[in-house]
Amino acid sequence: MTTPRLGALLLATSALIAPGLALAQTTDPSPPPQPETVDTAPQDEVTQVEEIVVLGRYIPQPLRQTSEVAAFITTEDLERTGDANAAEALTRVTGLTISQGRFVYVRGLGERYSSARLNGSPLPSPEPLQRVVPLDLFPSSILAGVTVQKTYSPNYPGEFGGGVIDLTTISTPSEPFLTLGVGIGGNTETTGKDGLVYYGSRTDFTGFDDGTRDMPGELKAALATGNRIVAGANFTDQEIQQIGWDFVNAPLNLLQRQRRIPVDFGFDISAGRSADIGGATLGIIGVLGYDNGWQTRSGVQGEGFLDLDELVARRSYDFMSTENNVGWDGLLGLSLENGDHLVRWTNLYVRRTTKEARTRAGFDFDAPGNNLVRDDFTAWYERQLFNTQLAGEHAFGNLEIDWRAAYAMTERNAPYEKYIRYSVGDDGVPFHEGQRNSTSFSELDDNVLSGGVDLKYTLPLSDLREIVFSVGAETLDNERDSETRIFRFQGSGLSEEFQRQRVDFFFADFNQGPGLIQLVEITGSDGAAAYEAELQVDAAYAQIDAELIPLVRTAIGVRYEDAVQTVTPFDLFGGASPFIPTSIENSYWLPAGTLTWNFAEDLQLRLGASQTIGRPQFRELAPQQYLDPDSDRLFIGNPFLTDTELTNLDARLEWYFAQGQYLTAGVFHKDLDRPVESAINDIGSVVQQTYINAPAATLTGFEIDGKIYFDSPMQGGFWDSKRWLIQANYTYTDSQLDVGADDVVFPLSSAGVAQPATNYFRDGDRLQGQSEHLANLQFGFEDDLARSQATILVNYASERSVARGRPGEPDLLFDPGVNLDFVYRKGFDAFGREIELSFEARNLLGTEFEEYQEQVNRIDINRYDRGTSLSLGLKASF
């Protein structure tokens, strides 16, 4: 529903038409040379100029075609920065930061306030904690560009707080090509150094398991009974023993130290061509890529609690983790073009596999005896996405019709996720605790079926001005299934000699049975281990984009969305869940208006106002406990969350003073009603991270962005023929929670009963995930004659909150710090082929990963050295 305040703002923008109207009617006896004069009077009446239109000859074409505040990453930008995927590339955009290397934060707002689309269609996510697709899945080799729109327009979904990221895949080329590329790389903290590994299976290097990690047949048959796997009521001791014997032991339990972690390696192949068929052009393009990389992290992890206004350590560990990340990328595109008609079929397959071995050892306040423990973990995470889209673009004179239909499917599979705890004796030798181990199997399937159509009719007003009427409709059906089964081998009264066995002996078949260790299922009941979720959205919009008078372009529209979002926890053992299925049913009218005033040559002002929403993500609504392997924190959802509603205001001044060069400055303000914040849910010695709707918040800031080219300041030798580049941007954002004494919230811990908001939030605190300062700098040169290009890239983000602390405790903070990168490219001819050599150096300053809590003392939640990464690539064109 449009508020009176927003309606007034949308109407007030029309006041800016008056200066443009005055300019259009003014006759200047000596006009400047740059503006273009259009004489619409009859030939015998040239005594007065009816219309003067100022055209921005340097304004980039994409920005001519949109009224919105937007940023565009082109193929040339991707090549210059050398970023491996879409997530890395987006760190260069003004006001954007990346969380966990995957998710985009626009102007400090979390990933839930941004949406990602592929060629205009929505995407599902393979991540348990997010409904937004992680952008590290999209390699730069398949991208033709990325659009980041920061002001809302009704043709996009209403889930728009920070912005929308639209990824465009490469299309069919006009000329045939074949490109082969290979690359190697390493990291100063990983490559050639000690790391942790476990055997796994023979084919792990491919990113595909050879069947070793398949759920054991005996276990699968037992699960099919629908009964909890536990000796006594449901299964006999002999049956339990048989199931336990079927578990894979040594290859997945035994951690090993590898002396030299190998180098990273990858290759990619891309090819395309087109052909004329009966007056139409048929095109085909294909991409195949493989990447195998390693990362070792060594550092400290901890957890604190407040004791007399001072943080003290509750847990403190030294940890080491080694990940082997294997990726496959495939794209197949077909297109058929005939004059004003184009039909495209795009198929994308992306797979990412992470094999991790991890250990940590140290102090745990809640552990028995001397409080010294060691935890070992092995894991295998498979994430894959398949997307197929059929789209068409048709022009019938002044009428354009665009349509699209897409099906996207993602999967996340984590078989044999292992955890084993040891107590450390006074002699320093670890021994097994009989109850502290687990083996889990989790699966997540997420798919999206979507379709949409857009109609545009262009009505010319003069030779240079027009009015565009747009209407459209879109439908989306997003379904998700998630299930986790957790098992433990447990025993009591075990002898010290038994407990001190090596891990593969401890879990061996001969140690399983009554009086020894037995398998037992510890999967949560009452809906804590499985849920089904669905989001259905039907939408329609209408928009008018017009330059009714010269120099002033106005776009006004509204989107109607009707949505039903459900999350249904269900008990795997036939019981009733204590949580009533969550159902959020809402309909919204979402207005938006923008105004662009080109009041001087290559200088224009943009204003925007809109209302949008943010929906809770599936995982945030599901009361299911989940361990995040990136942070080692437990998460649990809150079924009492509601939608967030936002009011957005933007203004930006843009000066395009030369080809490809500009200076822009903008301000923005957002009001958020019931924003979702992450908070600590403390239940005894178990610390979980959950979600709560804060009462309200505001976000205000400004951003500056500039880019300039200049010739070499010196002549001769190296300096000849080089063109230099400086590009920089800075964003300042101030956000504050608005929490009053009478405000209430609905946390999971109170089963949805209203609680004072001041117990969980402090008035004036920053929004979670929001950095006050963001800055990027690029400096380098390009030499067309030498076919070389070099760029230094600097990225800075100030600290931000990643979770609210327990009531009365400080927040958990993350300090991204300063990152310095260098990218160099050099082209040359060899063997009659065009060859490109690339060199990349990342994190040259060795900036650490730092996540911490601080009050008098500082507790490092997660801190480790990221090292400096170096890579060398070679690409040949045929």
Side-chain angles (χ1 to χ4, degrees):
M1 178 181 296
T2 306
T3 64
R5 175 184 176 186
L6 181 62
L9 285 167
L10 291 174
L11 291 173
T13 57
S14 62
L16 287 175
I17 295 177
L21 184 60
L23 180 57
Q25 295 175 342
T26 300
T27 303
D28 187 349
S30 56
Q34 298 298 341
E36 180 177 334
T37 301
V38 178
D39 184 1
T40 59
Q43 292 299 313
D44 56 348
E45 298 180 13
V46 292
T47 58
Q48 178 175 334
V49 176
E50 293 287 342
E51 181 176 313
I52 297 177
V53 179
V54 178
L55 297 178
R57 54 178 177 161
Y58 294 130
I59 299 175
Q61 188 64 21
L63 290 171
R64 289 176 182 269
Q65 297 174 343
T66 179
S67 299
E68 311 304 327
V69 174
F72 300 89
I73 300 176
T74 65
T75 305
E76 292 74 18
D77 296 327
L78 293 170
E79 291 177 351
R80 171 178 286 282
T81 60
D83 295 314
N85 55 60
E88 290 182 3
L90 287 167
T91 62
R92 319 296 176 191
V93 176
T94 311
L96 269 63
T97 55
I98 301 297
S99 173
Q100 303 175 38
R102 305 174 190 174
F103 303 104
V104 174
Y105 281 40
V106 182
R107 292 171 171 173
L109 291 169
E111 71 276 356
R112 69 173 57 83
Y113 298 113
S114 302
S115 60
R117 297 167 78 84
L118 185 67
N119 296 328
S121 293
L123 290 167
S125 173
E127 293 298 320
L129 290 175
Q130 279 85 17
R131 185 156 42 83
V132 180
V133 65
L135 296 180
D136 65 326
L137 288 179
F138 300 94
S140 56
S141 59
I142 68 161
L143 296 176
V146 183
T147 299
V148 181
Q149 187 170 304
K150 298 180 184 178
T151 55
Y152 178 64
S153 57
N155 58 305
Y156 279 122
E159 282 193 82
F160 187 108
V164 64
I165 293 95
D166 200 348
L167 310 172
T168 304
T169 57
I170 53 179
S171 58
T172 306
S174 56
E175 296 184 1
F177 76 94
L178 172 63
T179 302
L180 305 177
V182 295
I184 59 171
N187 179 274
T188 56
E189 292 292 318
T190 304
T191 310
K193 295 190 174 183
D194 289 358
L196 285 177
V197 296
Y198 68 96
Y199 179 75
S201 79
R202 295 169 298 174
T203 58
D204 285 358
F205 71 95
T206 67
F208 293 87
D209 177 75
D210 67 357
T212 298
R213 297 180 180 84
D214 289 348
M215 182 175 284
E218 295 283 348
L219 176 61
K220 189 179 296 185
L223 294 177
T225 67
N227 296 318
R228 183 184 293 276
I229 299 175
V230 60
N234 301 323
F235 298 89
T236 66
D237 288 340
Q238 184 177 2
E239 289 172 328
I240 291 293
Q241 189 176 42
Q242 194 68 41
I243 297 170
W245 284 350
D246 210 17
F247 273 60
V248 177
N249 180 17
L252 303 182
N253 284 329
L254 186 61
L255 288 183
Q256 304 172 64
R257 186 174 292 272
Q258 182 165 315
R259 287 295 179 188
R260 295 181 181 85
I261 296 296
V263 299
D264 302 340
F265 170 76
F267 69 83
D268 62 81
I269 305 169
S270 57
R273 64 168 303 155
S274 57
D276 291 333
I277 301 177
T281 301
L282 175 66
I284 182 170
I285 191 165
V287 177
L288 176 66
Y290 168 81
D291 182 73
N292 190 324
W294 296 80
Q295 182 181 37
T296 295
R297 302 170 178 171
S298 296
V300 295
Q301 290 180 342
E303 183 184 308
F305 69 97
L306 206 58
D307 184 16
L308 298 177
D309 296 327
E310 181 178 327
L311 273 178
V312 296
R314 185 169 192 157
R315 295 178 178 87
S316 180
Y317 308 108
D318 293 322
F319 82 95
M320 184 177 187
S321 165
T322 299
E323 293 182 358
N324 183 203
N325 298 292
V326 179
W328 287 96
D329 313 306
L331 181 140
L332 176 64
L334 297 172
S335 66
L336 185 64
E337 184 173 7
N338 181 10
D340 294 329
H341 305 280
L342 171 66
V343 177
R344 293 184 298 179
W345 183 32
T346 305
N347 301 276
L348 174 67
Y349 174 76
V350 178
R351 180 183 174 90
R352 295 289 182 270
T353 303
T354 297
K355 178 183 179 181
E356 182 185 23
R358 177 163 45 104
T359 187
R360 65 184 186 184
F363 169 82
D364 185 340
F365 178 81
D366 298 309
N370 59 13
N371 304 121
L372 298 179
V373 298
R374 190 185 93 195
D375 297 327
D376 288 349
F377 305 82
T378 62
W380 173 269
Y381 304 106
E382 301 172 353
R383 297 182 298 156
Q384 63 181 22
L385 178 149
F386 172 72
N387 181 81
T388 182
Q389 183 198 56
L390 189 64
E393 300 173 11
H394 309 278
F396 303 92
N398 291 345
L399 176 65
E400 297 178 25
I401 302 176
D402 296 345
W403 56 270
R404 60 200 173 275
Y407 175 73
M409 173 182 65
T410 61
E411 298 176 357
R412 183 187 186 272
N413 188 25
Y416 277 105
E417 194 171 354
K418 309 282 290 191
Y419 157 66
I420 303 168
R421 164 155 285 197
Y422 302 82
S423 290
V424 179
D426 293 333
D427 57 0
V429 178
F431 58 91
H432 296 273
E433 293 187 10
Q435 312 294 328
R436 300 295 294 274
N437 65 80
S438 68
T439 303
S440 65
F441 298 82
S442 62
E443 294 183 354
L444 183 147
D445 297 311
D446 199 313
N447 59 78
V448 170
L449 181 64
S450 65
V453 61
D454 302 291
L455 286 78
K456 294 182 180 179
Y457 182 79
T458 302
L459 177 66
L461 300 177
S462 71
D463 291 340
L464 297 173
R465 295 183 295 113
E466 62 189 19
I467 181 170
V468 179
F469 300 92
S470 300
V471 295
E474 186 173 42
T475 184
L476 172 148
D477 188 359
N478 182 192
E479 296 182 348
R480 172 178 284 198
D481 296 310
S482 176
E483 180 177 318
T484 302
R485 307 301 290 252
I486 310 175
F487 305 90
R488 173 189 296 160
F489 288 94
Q490 67 181 25
S492 59
L494 304 176
S495 68
E496 182 176 329
E497 181 182 5
F498 190 99
Q499 291 177 298
R500 288 179 180 253
Q501 294 180 88
R502 204 174 76 175
V503 62
D504 50 337
F505 294 152
F506 184 85
F507 292 104
D509 292 354
F510 53 75
N511 277 340
Q512 296 184 38
L516 299 170
I517 60 173
Q518 276 190 308
L519 182 73
V520 60
E521 183 170 6
I522 58 172
T523 301
S525 57
D526 301 331
Y531 70 88
E532 296 174 342
E534 185 174 11
L535 173 64
Q536 292 182 314
V537 181
D538 295 314
Y541 76 91
Q543 179 175 281
I544 298 175
D545 189 343
E547 191 175 347
L548 294 175
I549 61 172
L551 315 179
V552 180
R553 178 177 179 177
T554 304
I556 297 178
V558 64
R559 183 181 184 91
Y560 173 78
E561 280 197 356
D562 182 77
V564 179
Q565 184 176 5
T566 60
V567 175
T568 306
F570 62 91
D571 193 293
L572 293 168
F573 311 108
S577 171
F579 295 102
I580 299 174
T582 300
S583 180
I584 303 175
E585 300 183 32
N586 280 314
S587 297
Y588 295 98
W589 290 94
L590 303 172
T594 58
L595 183 146
T596 303
W597 181 21
N598 185 190
F599 59 89
E601 176 69 9
D602 298 310
L603 191 63
Q604 60 187 19
L605 174 68
R606 295 183 190 269
L607 301 175
S610 64
Q611 281 189 326
T612 56
I613 59 171
R615 297 186 178 94
Q617 300 178 18
F618 291 144
R619 191 64 187 82
E620 294 171 346
L621 289 164
Q624 181 187 92
Q625 188 168 278
Y626 167 76
L627 176 67
D628 179 14
D630 290 324
S631 63
D632 270 336
R633 285 198 292 272
L634 289 170
F635 286 78
I636 190 167
N638 178 6
F640 308 106
L641 297 178
T642 61
D643 292 348
T644 302
E645 298 186 33
L646 301 94
T647 299
N648 314 285
L649 304 174
D650 285 87
R652 187 166 79 164
L653 185 65
E654 303 172 350
W655 180 29
Y656 300 94
F657 51 85
Q659 188 70 37
Q661 304 177 67
Y662 55 83
L663 178 65
T664 69
V667 295
F668 52 89
H669 175 82
K670 297 179 182 293
D671 287 325
L672 294 86
D673 183 37
R674 301 186 303 276
V676 176
E677 293 277 286
S678 179
I680 297 297
N681 184 41
D682 197 354
I683 303 177
S685 63
V686 178
V687 177
Q688 301 169 328
Q689 199 163 318
T690 187
Y691 307 92
I692 307 176
N693 285 106
T698 58
L699 183 146
T700 304
F702 68 87
E703 53 191 19
I704 302 172
D705 188 12
K707 181 178 182 180
I708 185 172
Y709 289 100
F710 58 94
D711 294 331
S712 292
M714 292 178 280
Q715 301 296 321
F718 170 81
W719 302 99
D720 284 347
S721 72
K722 285 182 170 53
R723 186 172 73 151
W724 294 79
L725 161 74
I726 296 178
Q727 183 173 353
N729 61 66
Y730 169 75
T731 302
Y732 170 80
T733 309
D734 176 62
S735 65
Q736 294 186 1
L737 291 179
D738 185 5
V739 183
D742 297 329
D743 289 328
V744 296
V745 295
F746 300 90
L748 175 68
S749 57
S750 68
V753 177
Q755 299 292 317
T758 51
N759 288 351
Y760 298 87
F761 303 103
R762 292 184 295 267
D763 185 55
D765 275 1
R766 282 196 314 223
L767 278 168
Q768 179 202 337
Q770 186 261 313
S771 292
E772 192 172 28
H773 306 281
L774 302 173
N776 291 284
L777 171 66
Q778 295 184 35
F779 173 72
F781 69 80
E782 55 188 32
D783 188 331
D784 291 337
L785 292 179
R787 288 188 285 176
S788 63
Q789 188 181 81
T791 310
I792 295 172
L793 305 110
V794 183
N795 172 262
Y796 169 73
S798 60
E799 67 179 18
R800 60 177 182 255
S801 167
V802 294
R804 301 297 176 197
R806 300 180 187 88
E809 293 189 0
D811 291 350
L812 280 65
L813 302 177
F814 170 56
D815 186 3
V818 179
N819 289 274
L820 175 65
D821 302 335
F822 173 73
V823 177
Y824 177 76
R825 277 172 159 65
K826 169 68 176 175
F828 58 92
D829 295 327
F831 309 106
R833 306 295 180 190
E834 293 184 6
I835 309 293
E836 182 184 84
L837 176 70
S838 62
F839 171 75
E840 299 175 14
R842 304 288 181 179
N843 194 30
L844 287 167
L845 298 179
T847 302
E848 291 184 325
F849 183 98
E850 295 184 76
E851 198 175 64
Y852 60 92
Q853 263 184 309
E854 192 168 24
Q855 184 162 319
V856 182
N857 293 324
R858 167 170 161 156
I859 303 295
D860 284 316
I861 307 300
N862 201 4
R863 178 168 60 84
Y864 57 86
D865 289 325
R866 295 192 295 123
T868 298
S869 296
L870 306 173
S871 63
L872 192 66
L874 200 64
K875 183 181 293 185
S877 299
F878 295 85

Short mmCIF file of all heavy atoms in Angstrom, two decimals, residues 100-118:
data_model
loop_
_atom_site.label_atom_id
_atom_site.label_comp_id
_atom_site.label_asym_id
_atom_site.label_seq_id
_atom_site.Cartn_x
_atom_site.Cartn_y
_atom_site.Cartn_z
N GLN A 100 31.07 -13.88 3.15
CA GLN A 100 31.48 -15.27 3.00
C GLN A 100 31.99 -15.58 1.60
O GLN A 100 32.03 -16.72 1.18
CB GLN A 100 30.32 -16.22 3.34
CG GLN A 100 29.75 -16.04 4.73
CD GLN A 100 28.54 -16.93 4.97
OE1 GLN A 100 28.49 -18.07 4.54
NE2 GLN A 100 27.55 -16.38 5.65
N GLY A 101 32.38 -14.53 0.85
CA GLY A 101 32.87 -14.75 -0.50
C GLY A 101 31.79 -15.14 -1.48
O GLY A 101 32.09 -15.51 -2.62
N ARG A 102 30.51 -15.03 -1.08
CA ARG A 102 29.43 -15.56 -1.92
C ARG A 102 28.26 -14.61 -2.10
O ARG A 102 27.67 -14.53 -3.17
CB ARG A 102 28.87 -16.86 -1.32
CG ARG A 102 29.89 -17.94 -1.05
CD ARG A 102 29.24 -19.09 -0.32
NE ARG A 102 30.22 -20.04 0.16
CZ ARG A 102 29.94 -21.09 0.91
NH1 ARG A 102 28.70 -21.30 1.26
NH2 ARG A 102 30.89 -21.90 1.31
N PHE A 103 27.86 -13.92 -1.01
CA PHE A 103 26.59 -13.20 -1.00
C PHE A 103 26.82 -11.69 -1.02
O PHE A 103 27.69 -11.18 -0.31
CB PHE A 103 25.77 -13.59 0.22
CG PHE A 103 25.51 -15.07 0.29
CD1 PHE A 103 26.22 -15.87 1.17
CD2 PHE A 103 24.57 -15.66 -0.53
CE1 PHE A 103 26.00 -17.23 1.24
CE2 PHE A 103 24.35 -17.03 -0.48
CZ PHE A 103 25.06 -17.82 0.41
N VAL A 104 25.99 -10.99 -1.79
CA VAL A 104 26.17 -9.56 -2.00
C VAL A 104 25.41 -8.76 -0.94
O VAL A 104 24.24 -9.02 -0.66
CB VAL A 104 25.68 -9.16 -3.40
CG1 VAL A 104 25.72 -7.66 -3.57
CG2 VAL A 104 26.55 -9.82 -4.46
N TYR A 105 26.12 -7.79 -0.34
CA TYR A 105 25.51 -6.78 0.52
C TYR A 105 25.53 -5.46 -0.24
O TYR A 105 26.59 -4.96 -0.58
CB TYR A 105 26.30 -6.61 1.82
CG TYR A 105 26.07 -7.67 2.87
CD1 TYR A 105 25.93 -9.01 2.53
CD2 TYR A 105 26.00 -7.34 4.21
CE1 TYR A 105 25.72 -9.97 3.48
CE2 TYR A 105 25.80 -8.31 5.19
CZ TYR A 105 25.66 -9.63 4.82
OH TYR A 105 25.46 -10.59 5.77
N VAL A 106 24.35 -4.91 -0.54
CA VAL A 106 24.24 -3.64 -1.24
C VAL A 106 23.94 -2.56 -0.21
O VAL A 106 22.94 -2.62 0.50
CB VAL A 106 23.14 -3.67 -2.32
CG1 VAL A 106 23.09 -2.34 -3.06
CG2 VAL A 106 23.39 -4.82 -3.29
N ARG A 107 24.86 -1.58 -0.13
CA ARG A 107 24.72 -0.46 0.81
C ARG A 107 24.53 -0.96 2.24
O ARG A 107 23.77 -0.39 3.02
CB ARG A 107 23.57 0.44 0.40
CG ARG A 107 23.86 1.19 -0.91
CD ARG A 107 22.63 1.91 -1.42
NE ARG A 107 22.95 2.80 -2.54
CZ ARG A 107 22.05 3.44 -3.27
NH1 ARG A 107 20.77 3.28 -3.03
NH2 ARG A 107 22.43 4.23 -4.24
N GLY A 108 25.22 -2.06 2.58
CA GLY A 108 25.20 -2.55 3.94
C GLY A 108 24.02 -3.43 4.29
O GLY A 108 23.95 -3.96 5.38
N LEU A 109 23.07 -3.61 3.37
CA LEU A 109 21.92 -4.47 3.64
C LEU A 109 22.26 -5.90 3.29
O LEU A 109 22.92 -6.18 2.29
CB LEU A 109 20.71 -4.00 2.83
CG LEU A 109 20.13 -2.65 3.26
CD1 LEU A 109 19.12 -2.16 2.24
CD2 LEU A 109 19.47 -2.77 4.63
N GLY A 110 21.83 -6.84 4.13
CA GLY A 110 22.16 -8.25 3.96
C GLY A 110 21.64 -8.83 2.67
O GLY A 110 20.86 -8.22 1.94
N GLU A 111 22.08 -10.08 2.40
CA GLU A 111 21.74 -10.71 1.13
C GLU A 111 20.24 -10.91 0.97
O GLU A 111 19.74 -11.01 -0.14
CB GLU A 111 22.46 -12.06 0.99
CG GLU A 111 21.96 -13.17 1.90
CD GLU A 111 22.56 -13.12 3.29
OE1 GLU A 111 23.43 -12.27 3.54
OE2 GLU A 111 22.17 -13.95 4.12
N ARG A 112 19.49 -10.92 2.10
CA ARG A 112 18.04 -11.10 1.98
C ARG A 112 17.37 -9.91 1.30
O ARG A 112 16.25 -9.99 0.83
CB ARG A 112 17.41 -11.33 3.36
CG ARG A 112 17.43 -10.11 4.26
CD ARG A 112 16.64 -10.36 5.53
NE ARG A 112 17.12 -11.49 6.26
CZ ARG A 112 18.15 -11.49 7.10
NH1 ARG A 112 18.82 -10.37 7.27
NH2 ARG A 112 18.50 -12.56 7.74
N TYR A 113 18.06 -8.76 1.26
CA TYR A 113 17.49 -7.56 0.66
C TYR A 113 17.95 -7.36 -0.78
O TYR A 113 17.72 -6.31 -1.36
CB TYR A 113 17.86 -6.33 1.49
CG TYR A 113 17.32 -6.38 2.90
CD1 TYR A 113 18.17 -6.49 3.98
CD2 TYR A 113 15.95 -6.33 3.13
CE1 TYR A 113 17.67 -6.54 5.28
CE2 TYR A 113 15.44 -6.38 4.42
CZ TYR A 113 16.31 -6.49 5.49
OH TYR A 113 15.82 -6.54 6.76
N SER A 114 18.61 -8.35 -1.34
CA SER A 114 19.03 -8.29 -2.74
C SER A 114 18.57 -9.57 -3.43
O SER A 114 18.41 -10.60 -2.79
CB SER A 114 20.55 -8.14 -2.85
OG SER A 114 21.00 -6.99 -2.19
N SER A 115 18.40 -9.48 -4.72
CA SER A 115 18.00 -10.66 -5.49
C SER A 115 18.93 -10.81 -6.68
O SER A 115 19.46 -9.84 -7.20
CB SER A 115 16.55 -10.55 -5.95
OG SER A 115 16.36 -9.41 -6.77
N ALA A 116 19.14 -12.06 -7.07
CA ALA A 116 19.99 -12.36 -8.21
C ALA A 116 19.16 -13.05 -9.29
O ALA A 116 18.33 -13.92 -8.99
CB ALA A 116 21.16 -13.24 -7.79
N ARG A 117 19.39 -12.64 -10.52
CA ARG A 117 18.68 -13.23 -11.65
C ARG A 117 19.68 -13.57 -12.74
O ARG A 117 20.73 -12.94 -12.86
CB ARG A 117 17.62 -12.25 -12.17
CG ARG A 117 16.54 -11.94 -11.13
CD ARG A 117 15.69 -10.76 -11.51
NE ARG A 117 14.68 -11.08 -12.51
CZ ARG A 117 13.50 -11.61 -12.23
NH1 ARG A 117 13.18 -11.90 -10.99
NH2 ARG A 117 12.62 -11.84 -13.19
N LEU A 118 19.34 -14.56 -13.53
CA LEU A 118 20.16 -14.98 -14.65
C LEU A 118 19.38 -14.75 -15.93
O LEU A 118 18.33 -15.36 -16.14
CB LEU A 118 20.55 -16.45 -14.52
CG LEU A 118 21.51 -16.99 -15.59
CD1 LEU A 118 22.88 -16.34 -15.45
CD2 LEU A 118 21.64 -18.50 -15.51
#
